[in-house]
């Protein structure tokens, strides 16, 4: 198999360097690695040049996407990629030596158009106890070979048939470029057009959790954005057609669930902070769904986007 590994990066030189070292050590080597820097100043260039100078058993192509937009950055990586298959991994993740071999196996055997694998969080030693007990950074997992449900489609560890992406003018929708959610939108469209995307539970990558993310505020904002992503995908028909009555039911359900979760958070607090936070995140996610009806979106890459205006 000819595989291009695509990495979108933004001001994480040390973590990018560690990931490139991981790729050099893979049991199944890619034919190409594409690094697209979303920092107009090109802060990742030196990391790529050091890896090239140290030697690599594959081509490393580097480019810059100057406008801060994750969708445009990923689209540029697709344009640069020459492989028949494209593997996407985040710049802050670590890949064990058997990662790409395991991820490619279902595709190699002709059983899939795309393969998703788990991203396992690695908490720092000084992470608060309530965060450890809450397991707030864990992904949902499935048996290997199972089709991935539409509401669990996401990037971070994925292999896709290159022809599917090259058939699109812009695989990743720039409208999601400052908010995130471009991954679920793309994968949802692929599945709607018949792509078969399966889970490979053995194709693990690890994600060290940054200290800046070990806070209730970060978790609430992530849950809010996740709720917004879900609502946008639902309203755009990524999970199937939605009638006007279905939109009303969706709104009413989100409103009821946010009120119920708020009450359960109060009741759960004496049983442990992690239990209360679990329900607070449900509140945030449902408020995120409701906020989409008001026409504004939390911009993970830059604040809050109001209708017709920038942050």
């Amino acid at each position: 198999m000819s595989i291009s590994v695509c990495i979108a990066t933004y001001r994480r030189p040390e973590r990018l360097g560690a990931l490139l070292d991981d790729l050099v050590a893979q049991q199944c080597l890619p034919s190409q690695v594409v690094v697209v820097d979303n920092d107009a100043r090109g802060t990742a260039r030196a990391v790529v040049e050091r890896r090239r100078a140290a030697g690599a058993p594959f081509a490393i192509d580097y480019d810059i996407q100057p406008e801060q937009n994750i969708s445009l950055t990923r689209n540029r990586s697709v344009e640069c990629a020459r492989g028949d298959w494209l593997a996407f991994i985040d710049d802050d993740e670590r890949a064990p030596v058997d990662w790409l071999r395991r991820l490619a196996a279902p595709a190699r055997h002709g059983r899939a158009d795309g393969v998703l694998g788990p991203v396992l969080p690695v908490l720092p030693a000084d992470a608060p106890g309530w965060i450890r007990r809450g397991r707030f950074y864990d992904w949902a997992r499935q048996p290997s070979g199972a089709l991935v449900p539409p509401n669990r489609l996401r990037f971070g560890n994925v292999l896709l048939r290159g022809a599917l992406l090259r058939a699109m003018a812009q695989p990743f929708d720039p409208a999601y470029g400052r908010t995130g959610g471009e991954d679920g939108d793309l994968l949802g469209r692929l599945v709607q057009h018949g792509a078969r995307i399966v889970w490979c539970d053995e194709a693990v990558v690890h994600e060290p959790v940054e200290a800046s993310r070990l806070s209730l505020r970060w978790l609430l904002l992530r849950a809010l954005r996740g709720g917004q992503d879900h609502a946008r995908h639902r309203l755009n028909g990524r999970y199937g057609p939605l009638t006007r009555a279905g939109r009303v039911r969706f709104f009413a359900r989100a409103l009821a669930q946010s009120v119920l979760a708020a009450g359960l958070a109060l009741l759960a607090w004496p049983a442990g902070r992690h239990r209360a936070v679990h329900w607070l995140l449900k509140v945030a996610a449902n408020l995120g769904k409701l906020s989409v009806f008001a026409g504004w979106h939390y911009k993970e890459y830059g604040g809050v986007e109001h209708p017709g205006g920038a942050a």
Side-chain angles (χ1 to χ4, degrees), residues 12 15 19 90-94 206-208 210 213:
R12 284 175 171 155
R15 295 207 172 189
L19 174 57
D90 289 348
D91 63 347
D92 60 344
E93 293 174 350
R94 302 297 307 272
H206 299 95
E207 182 181 24
E210 298 177 5
R213 298 183 176 185

Side-chain angles (χ1 to χ4, degrees), residues 118-124 132 135-139 141 204-209 222:
V119 178
L120 303 186
V122 180
L123 294 173
R132 290 189 178 279
R135 305 180 66 88
F136 301 115
Y137 305 87
D138 289 1
W139 283 36
R141 299 176 71 168
V204 169
V205 300
H206 299 95
E207 182 181 24
V209 179
R222 186 186 68 166

Side-chain angles (χ1 to χ4, degrees), residues 156-231:
N157 181 10
V158 61
L159 179 73
L160 295 172
R161 192 182 298 275
L164 297 178
L165 303 183
R166 297 186 180 106
M168 304 176 181
Q170 291 193 108
F172 299 93
D173 188 346
Y176 290 91
R178 299 294 297 276
T179 63
E182 80 293 340
D183 50 353
D185 174 73
L186 167 65
L187 295 173
R189 283 185 280 125
L190 290 176
V191 169
Q192 284 183 317
H193 287 87
R196 177 180 170 84
I197 300 179
V198 303
W199 185 259
C200 180
D201 203 55
E202 296 79 24
V204 169
V205 300
H206 299 95
E207 182 181 24
V209 179
E210 298 177 5
S212 62
R213 298 183 176 185
L214 298 172
S215 69
L216 177 58
R217 179 181 184 276
W218 189 90
L219 290 168
L220 289 172
L221 287 174
R222 186 186 68 166
L224 175 77
R225 203 213 81 182
Q228 290 186 334
D229 288 350
H230 179 84

